[in-house]
Structures are given as structure tokens and as C-alpha cells.
Amino acid sequence: MNAFQSSRPWYRSPLSLAITSALAWAIAAPVSAQESSEAQAQSDTSSAERAATLDRVVVTANKRVENIRDVAASISVIGERQLENLGASSLADYASLIPGMQVQDNGSPGQTSVSLRGIAALSSGASVATYIDEVPVGSSGIYQGANTLMLDVLPYDISRVEVLRGPQGTLYGAGAIGGLLKYVTRAPDVSGDEFRLGFGMRTVNDGGDAWNTRFGASVPLKEDRLGLRMSFARNGLPGYTDNVVDGREDINDSEQMGARAALFWDGDAFDLNLSVLQQRISADDRGGTALDPETMEPLFGDLVDRTWQHQPFSKELTLTSLSLDWDMGWADFVSATGWSQTDTMTQIDSTIQFGEVANALLGLPEPGSSFVRYEFDLDKVTQEFRLSSKSGGRFEWLVGIFYTKEDALQTQLAWLGQLDGSPLPAPYDEMFSTLTFLGLPSTYKELAVFANGSWRIGERFKLDAGVRQARNEQRFSQNVSEGILVPIGNTPGESEEDVFTWSISPQFKLGEDAMLYARAATGYQPGGPNVAIVGIPPKVDSSMLSSYELGLKAQFAEQRVQLDLAVFRIDWEDIQVASSFNGIGGLVNGGEATSEGAELSTLFRATDALTVGFNVAYTKADIKNDFEPTVIPQDGFDVILNTGLAGDRMPYVPKLSWALTAEYAFAVGGFNGQAGAALRGVGKRLNDTTERQRITAPGDPSTVLDEEITAPLELDSYRALDLYAGIGKGNWELRIYANNITDEGAWSSLTPINSAITGTHVQVAAVPIRPRTFGIEFDYRF
């Protein structure tokens, strides 16, 4: 089955554990990406306030509250106002506003992969770390599908989303090899009441419609000391793809629900924040279109898929966090504690892959139908203590210690029945309906110490540096209790490793509103114990990378123009990739890759009412050498697999992506409003790397008996236009939006689906970008 999950064909599934990529194709994802500006977190639409706050966006990238213009790193901020204007409900809705960010949508919220600056999700571990305020969420290990099940927080009661590009290993540790995605929630107000009530509707072209509602309240329990904030939101996401097998329409509708309660104590010496957040995502099925593997044209029409089994998805996150900020006079002490539980279930139709087991292996008169169900259970505890100097001095310092423990379980069930979905006839139902059932319990423990310092030399020069020493210990077991596809038995494994990361960043003030900086940093993606399979090493080592960046941040023309420019090069070593044969495989350390490029973000306040932005990202991410081969002995021959060849482009990384944005704010007759547009473009992408499979004489790799090379599929470039407008007066506001207004047809991902029995190329599963979507929202604040 598929411990790591992937989108490769059955015979080369990159992240599989035990049967065939058949089990993996649906959990894998691909996508497009884009870019945009570093936008401000603001709640008022007046142009005067936007002008006043343009240069005062605050971030916590260095675990201090700082002006974004003073941070020597590439950071984008998406504010609450922007999320509302766009009608955003998931990462994919605002990824185009982040230069160099790719989000692969697998057909429903919560089934996403995220990469930054070409550091693609080739492993089953995350390449981008996720934080909610001070607490990391999601798994650091390799057995929870972190690469394709990225946390997709419902963007309500979120003050802003911070995205840090480039490795953040020194301050944020494991998994931040490509960057950091940080959700900053709204804090309770201790000085006054705030209530908010809203509702809305959205509809998709040639699809369904759905409603949403939300409520938020902030109440001071003790004036100027203690505040309580509560919120609830429900989003309905209408479906738009149909299923030719059973005639169902709009099968991929889904629902998001989120609730949060937070207590905040504002003391003289210390602040205390206790928060409980719960979010649930549920989808009846996933969006998809069945394509002809030769012509790449839809087999049954636009937005029509072919599946015999339902493909539900659900994800529930409960996060409790407690943070203490103590002003000790000479320094600040922070304690951040987090407890989280994440339960995920995803089911994929595997009829094409396994249905022929019924007739070809069992001798029944016709093929059957099949599904594979994955369940992921993760309990995670984190604790961070840090001590930092006061801000503003010539030398600023920070030291800390971090601990995390994860108890995780992944289970996989492959089921076989008749083509109509009923059980196999007796006695086959009891003997063969469970093709495989396995459990993969694992634990992950990490302890790290870190330090960071900033030294101001004169009025213009500043030097930042940081180090982190981490040690992780992991335990794992491969427990197969039923089935005919994987040998029954229990096989334990363990690993431990020490990892050192560092960063250094000099910066030079060219003037009051201009800064030139350089940054060199390292990051890592944890390894771990491997599956017990012939040809696969007992453990996989951490992936490591080094990043070099040169950037310019400037404002000029009386602060009406803002410009951010960065060029970078990343060297990636010991890349974790999957190697599999006949669907059985695990992770190996493949080789090296480089990613280099440039990102430009500009924001121009043409008038007090009109703001125009343009953003572009160029990324060239290529494999440097043939990935290390995996040798799999067979009866009378060897199979030698390379899952990437020198010169291959990283999957789902466009060389060019861009966005042009504009917003006009107005005030007339006591009404305030705004109208805006975003035109976004994504270049061509590839869905995978090249695989080379060689059949050689036993023990003699020089004698090649047969060779097969599978090239990746290409996704065309596309452009999409989003429009929005809003008007309000006093306590109420009405907003409308239209996303993908021209109804551009394009693919977010492509995944070949082949028979695991015969190897026949049957179809390509394509996930479309969301068709034209209209929405209307109303909010009342009192």
C-alpha cells in the first residue's frame, strides 16, 4: 500500500509503501502557482488609512514584532481584508498573491501540497512548515502524508497569513526546508466589545451553489485586563464535476466548519493567551476529469470523471495552545505550549488499478471494483521556551529550546468487490474482499536548542545570524494483518539523527526607505525509519539544502511606490524521493537539485484612491544528477529504477508566474466602498520527473535486457481574472466577487491511472482549477 503517497503511475509510484500507485494517485497533488505583493492587514477600506499603514505592516518572522520593511528576508503578508474581498476559503484561493508559491489542489480543501521557490513535495514529509500563532501543526515525520495533506485553515478570524520564502531552519526547525506558512489569529480585545455576524452564498458555473455563515464576538471580562473572543464559521463549497459511471452530478461539494475560543490576560508583567481551535473539513467526493491517456482530451466531456467507488474526505483538527509572555524588565521570556489532535480520512477509487484482480487472478467472469481507504491519526505536543533581549538596542539576542512529541498511526485498507459495488460472491468475499489491511504506528521526538543575534554597526549596517542544533528519535512498525498483496507480519524500525542548521544575513540601509540585504541559510527535512522491502534502505536520511539570497526593499516617490526584489539560488542535497516496483516501495535519498530565480513585487499608489500592484516570479528548478538507482532483485533478473534524471524540472513548478492587481476605493454619500481586480498567470508545468526502468542480468547492471522511460506530462499555461467589489455604511457591508470570470479551463494536476495487473494505460485523472465562481457576502458589526 502507500505509506508515503504519490501521483506516479502504478509501476513507479514515488511515495508508496505497499501495493501500487493505484493507491496513491488520488492523494497526490499537483498545481500551479503564482505571486503577488506583500499586502497589508487592514480592516478599513478608506484610502487615507491604507496610505498611513502602507509602510507599517508588522510580522513575527524573527519571533519578534517587526516592521516588514526592516526584515532581511522575503516575506508576503495576506491580510484579513484581502481574504474577505477574494472570498477565500482555502490556500488555493490566495496562492496567486504569494510570489514563488505553488499549491497543488487534489480536488477538495485539505488535500493540498505546498511548495515554495521550487522546493517541490517529492517526499511524504512536508517541505513547508505550518504554524498557528506560536504553535507548529502537522506532522514532522514521514508517515502522516504531510506532503499532500497540508493544513488548510478556514480563513476566518485570521488577522493575517505570513509566508516566509526560503529555509527557516534556525528559528522554525523541521519541515521548514522551503519556507513557512503562518496563520496569525485575532486576539481578544480587553478594552471594548465587538460583535460580527455574516452570511453569504456562492455558485459555480455548471455546478451547484452553497451558503455560508459566520459569527464572531470579543468581550472584555475585566476591563483592560481580561478578554474573551469566540468565533464560528461554516463554509459550503459547491461541486462542479460529474461522474459518468453512476450519473451523479456536482459530486465534489464540501463543507468547512471552524470554531475558536480565546482568553487573553493583559497583565502588568506578563500576558497570557489560552486558545482552543477546532476545524473540520468534509467532502462527499473529489473534483476530477477523466482524460484519454493518448490525446489528453476528456473521455466523457468537460468536468466529467469516471469512478466506481465514492471518494470521501474528512479532516478534523483540534488545537489547544497556551502562551505566556513575561516582561522581565531586562529581557522578555516566552513560553508557547501546544496540544493538537488531527484525524484524517481519505478514500480513493482504485477500480482501474485493482478491479482486474477479480477476473485475472480469482477467475471471476468480470472485473470488480475497488477502493483504498487511508486513515491518519496524529497526536502532537510541542513546548518552546525562549528568552530575548529588548528590541531597539545595538545588539539584540534570542535563545530558546524546543521539544515536540508525536504519536501517529496510519492505516490502509484495500477492498475488492463486484463492479456494481456489492461484495464478491461467496466464498471469495471472505477470502479476498480485503486485499490488504495494514497499520503503520510511529512516534517522533525532537529536542532542539537555538540562538539568534542581531548586531547594529553604525547607523546603516546590521548583521543577523542564527544557529540551531536538533536531535530527533523515531520509532515505526509495519504491521500487515490481512490481505493477499503484502506479506502478513510485523516489522519494526527506528532511526535517530542530529541536524545542525545556520543562517547569516547582513543588511545595509541605502537610505531612510531603502534596504539592501543578503541572506545565507540552511534547512532540513527529517528522515526516518523506512518500510521493510527488498532493495530499500532501512532508513532514509534528512534532506538538506543551502539557500543564498540577495534582496532589495525600497519605497520612493513620497512612499507611493513600494518595491521588493530578490534573487536566489538553492542547492538541495540528499533529496528524499520514492522508489517503487509493482507498487511496492519506500523512500530513498535520491540526489541533488538546484533552484534559482528572481521575484519582484511592486505596489504603486497612483492616487489616494487607486492602488496598482504587479508581481512576477521566475523559477528554474532542475534535478542536477540522475537520482540514485534502486536495485530490486527478481526471479532471474534485476530491476533498476531511477525516479528522476539529470535536467528534469521539478514537478508543478512553472518557470514564470505573475499577477497584476488593482483596487479603487471610494467614499460617496456616506458610503465607503472598493472595487478591485486580479489578473494572474501561470506558466507551463510538468506533473512529475522522468522515470527510467531497466531490466538487467542478475548482479550485472551493465547487461541491460530491456529499458523503459516514462516522461512526465505537461500542463498548459493559463490566465485567470478575479473581480470583487464592496460597499458599506456604518455597521454593515455588502461584498460581491467573481473568480475566474472568463471561466478559464486549465488543469491543477495530472495523474496517470494504470492497471496494476496488466500495466495498461487506462486514463489520466485531471483536477481542474475551479470554474467561474460568483459569491455575495453580507457582514454586520455591532
Side-chain angles (χ1 to χ4, degrees):
M1 202 141 308
N2 188 359
F4 306 109
Q5 309 175 44
S6 161
S7 59
R8 291 184 184 271
W10 71 272
Y11 51 86
R12 58 187 296 253
S13 164
L15 301 174
S16 55
L17 160 63
I19 324 186
T20 162
S21 94
L23 313 186
W25 72 267
I27 299 204
V31 84
S32 53
Q34 273 155 326
E35 67 264 11
S36 185
S37 66
E38 294 168 348
Q40 42 283 33
Q42 55 197 27
S43 59
D44 197 304
T45 60
S46 72
S47 60
E49 180 165 339
R50 286 204 318 276
T53 61
L54 183 61
D55 62 338
R56 291 192 289 107
V57 179
V58 297
V59 293
T60 53
N62 291 327
K63 301 205 171 184
R64 293 177 180 269
V65 177
E66 298 176 286
N67 186 335
I68 193 173
R69 312 305 305 165
D70 296 330
V71 179
S74 295
I75 309 174
S76 292
V77 176
I78 307 299
E80 178 185 25
R81 189 66 183 178
Q82 285 179 295
L83 297 173
E84 291 178 348
N85 285 339
L86 293 171
S89 59
S90 66
L91 281 169
D93 292 329
Y94 55 88
S96 60
L97 301 180
I98 312 297
M101 182 176 181
Q102 288 79 44
V103 174
Q104 285 107 305
D105 183 354
N106 292 300
S108 71
Q111 299 191 90
T112 52
S113 297
V114 179
S115 61
L116 287 165
R117 288 187 168 175
I119 307 304
L122 296 178
S123 168
S124 53
S127 61
V128 176
T130 304
Y131 268 63
I132 297 180
D133 294 322
E134 293 278 359
V135 177
V137 291
S139 177
S140 298
I142 58 177
Y143 288 99
Q144 284 291 296
N147 63 324
T148 56
L149 299 173
M150 187 84 173
L151 180 67
D152 209 344
V153 171
L154 172 63
Y156 177 70
D157 217 26
I158 300 294
S159 172
R160 64 184 183 273
V161 181
E162 299 179 12
V163 180
L164 284 70
R165 296 184 289 279
Q168 307 297 323
T170 55
L171 289 179
Y172 293 97
I177 188 171
L180 176 74
L181 176 67
K182 184 175 184 179
Y183 298 93
V184 181
T185 61
R186 298 190 66 191
D189 189 345
V190 298
S191 60
D193 295 336
E194 177 192 346
F195 296 92
R196 175 186 178 184
L197 182 65
F199 59 89
M201 290 281 294
R202 60 166 56 89
T203 182
V204 178
N205 189 43
D206 291 329
D209 50 56
W211 60 274
N212 56 67
T213 186
R214 52 199 169 270
F215 167 78
S218 184
V219 181
L221 302 180
K222 181 177 176 57
E223 189 174 358
D224 296 329
R225 289 295 188 188
L226 181 64
L228 170 67
R229 184 172 191 85
M230 298 178 294
S231 65
F232 170 81
R234 186 264 183 196
N235 265 357
L237 302 175
Y240 48 84
T241 62
D242 305 332
N243 186 15
V244 70
V245 174
D246 55 18
R248 290 182 297 138
E249 297 182 346
D250 305 332
I251 63 174
N252 63 315
D253 57 334
S254 58
E255 179 186 67
Q256 299 170 297
M257 295 185 69
R260 176 173 171 260
L263 274 172
F264 176 65
W265 172 263
D266 186 359
D268 293 329
F270 69 89
D271 297 336
L272 193 67
N273 199 328
L274 173 64
S275 174
V276 179
L277 177 148
Q278 186 171 57
Q279 173 158 319
R280 187 184 71 194
I281 303 172
S282 59
D284 295 334
D285 220 303
R286 64 181 68 203
T289 301
L291 304 183
D292 185 293
E294 300 297 330
T295 66
M296 298 300 293
E297 294 295 325
L299 283 168
F300 310 103
D302 293 338
L303 303 179
V304 180
D305 207 351
R306 176 172 62 176
T307 60
W308 288 260
Q309 294 284 339
H310 288 209
Q311 302 184 107
F313 172 79
S314 65
K315 187 183 189 78
E316 185 169 340
L317 165 71
T318 301
L319 171 65
T320 302
S321 60
L322 176 65
S323 64
L324 168 68
D325 192 338
W326 179 19
D327 184 351
M328 303 174 67
W330 58 278
D332 293 317
F333 174 78
V334 173
S335 170
T337 309
W339 306 270
S340 64
Q341 179 176 348
T342 309
D343 298 316
T344 307
M345 187 281 294
T346 184
Q347 182 170 298
I348 65 172
D349 175 77
S350 55
T351 299
I352 291 175
Q353 298 92 327
F354 297 136
E356 291 177 317
V357 169
N359 60 322
L361 299 184
L362 305 183
L364 295 175
E366 64 176 358
S369 66
S370 174
F371 68 77
V372 180
R373 180 184 301 137
Y374 299 87
E375 295 186 6
F376 302 87
D377 300 323
L378 174 66
D379 293 314
K380 180 168 182 152
V381 177
T382 64
Q383 176 64 58
E384 180 171 301
F385 298 112
R386 64 178 185 267
L387 188 67
S388 60
S389 65
K390 294 295 183 178
S391 298
R394 185 165 295 276
F395 180 71
E396 298 175 353
W397 52 267
L398 179 151
V399 294
I401 185 170
F402 174 83
Y403 172 78
T404 186
K405 182 178 184 294
E406 299 178 11
D407 292 304
L409 174 64
Q410 177 190 158
T411 60
Q412 301 178 15
L413 167 67
W415 180 87
L416 178 67
Q418 298 190 74
L419 198 59
D420 62 1
S422 61
L424 294 172
Y428 297 100
D429 54 346
E430 294 187 2
M431 299 172 63
F432 303 110
S433 62
T434 299
L435 294 176
T436 289
F437 181 79
L438 60 87
L440 305 172
S442 61
T443 63
Y444 179 96
K445 296 180 182 179
E446 180 177 348
L447 180 65
V449 292
F450 58 93
N452 195 80
S454 298
W455 183 25
R456 289 183 172 84
I457 305 172
E459 298 298 321
R460 293 179 177 267
F461 188 75
K462 182 181 177 182
L463 181 65
D464 291 342
V467 293
R468 187 184 189 100
Q469 179 68 49
R471 178 179 179 83
N472 70 68
E473 299 177 353
Q474 301 184 57
R475 301 291 183 269
F476 157 81
S477 186
Q478 176 181 317
N479 303 332
V480 184
S481 57
E482 294 182 63
I484 61 174
L485 297 181
V486 181
I488 293 176
N490 299 337
T491 308
E494 60 183 49
S495 72
E496 55 186 36
E497 60 183 353
D498 297 293
V499 181
F500 177 76
T501 54
W502 56 268
S503 67
I504 186 167
S505 179
Q507 53 187 286
F508 183 76
K509 279 280 190 180
L510 300 175
E512 181 66 25
D513 298 314
M515 176 180 69
L516 182 68
Y517 71 89
R519 184 173 188 265
T522 60
Y524 76 101
Q525 186 179 47
N530 224 333
V531 295
I533 295 172
V534 175
I536 299 298
K539 70 174 185 176
V540 59
D541 294 330
S542 291
S543 294
M544 303 291 297
L545 63 71
S546 300
S547 172
Y548 309 94
E549 177 180 345
L550 182 64
L552 172 67
K553 294 186 176 185
Q555 289 182 326
F556 49 90
E558 297 180 343
Q559 296 186 345
R560 288 183 175 272
V561 179
Q562 179 175 296
L563 181 148
D564 288 7
L565 174 65
V567 294
F568 64 88
R569 177 185 171 88
I570 298 174
D571 294 316
W572 194 3
E573 299 178 348
D574 290 331
I575 302 173
Q576 294 175 13
V577 296
S579 182
S580 64
F581 177 72
N582 283 348
I584 300 177
L587 291 178
V588 299
N589 292 105
E592 301 178 1
T594 61
S595 179
E596 51 191 13
E599 299 158 352
L600 171 67
S601 292
T602 63
L603 197 61
F604 173 42
R605 196 169 60 252
T607 68
D608 287 343
L610 177 63
T611 304
V612 179
F614 176 68
N615 310 277
V616 61
Y618 171 82
T619 308
K620 185 178 184 295
D622 299 325
I623 293 176
K624 191 174 179 179
N625 59 284
D626 292 354
F627 281 164
E628 289 294 322
T630 302
V631 180
I632 305 173
Q634 301 291 301
D635 186 13
F637 61 93
D638 289 343
V639 176
I640 300 180
L641 295 176
N642 294 88
T643 55
L645 302 182
D648 280 352
R649 288 172 55 187
M650 281 294 176
Y652 297 103
V653 177
K655 284 190 175 181
L656 188 67
S657 56
W658 53 269
L660 177 63
T661 61
E663 180 174 295
Y664 182 80
F666 60 87
V668 57
F671 291 90
N672 294 318
Q674 73 283 334
L679 178 64
R680 45 197 169 93
V682 179
K684 293 182 178 180
R685 295 138 290 145
L686 299 176
N687 80 318
D688 214 331
T689 53
T690 303
E691 182 183 85
R692 181 175 62 203
Q693 176 179 298
R694 285 175 172 168
I695 307 299
T696 68
D700 182 12
S702 63
T703 304
V704 179
L705 306 177
D706 190 21
E707 180 178 270
E708 182 177 359
I709 294 179
T710 304
L713 303 175
E714 184 176 86
L715 293 82
D716 289 336
S717 61
Y718 70 90
R719 292 182 298 273
L721 176 64
D722 302 330
L723 303 175
Y724 64 86
I727 191 169
K729 183 177 183 179
N731 294 334
W732 65 267
E733 182 183 23
L734 181 68
R735 301 186 304 274
I736 59 174
Y737 61 89
N739 296 331
N740 192 9
I741 187 67
T742 60
D743 203 24
E744 177 80 4
W747 305 126
S748 174
S749 68
L750 296 175
T751 306
I753 306 180
N754 309 320
S755 168
I757 306 302
T758 65
T760 304
H761 305 295
V762 178
Q763 69 184 44
V764 172
V767 175
I769 65 171
R770 186 179 299 170
R772 180 169 53 236
T773 301
F774 293 102
I776 183 169
E777 303 288 337
F778 177 81
D779 275 298
Y780 185 78
R781 302 173 190 264
F782 54 96

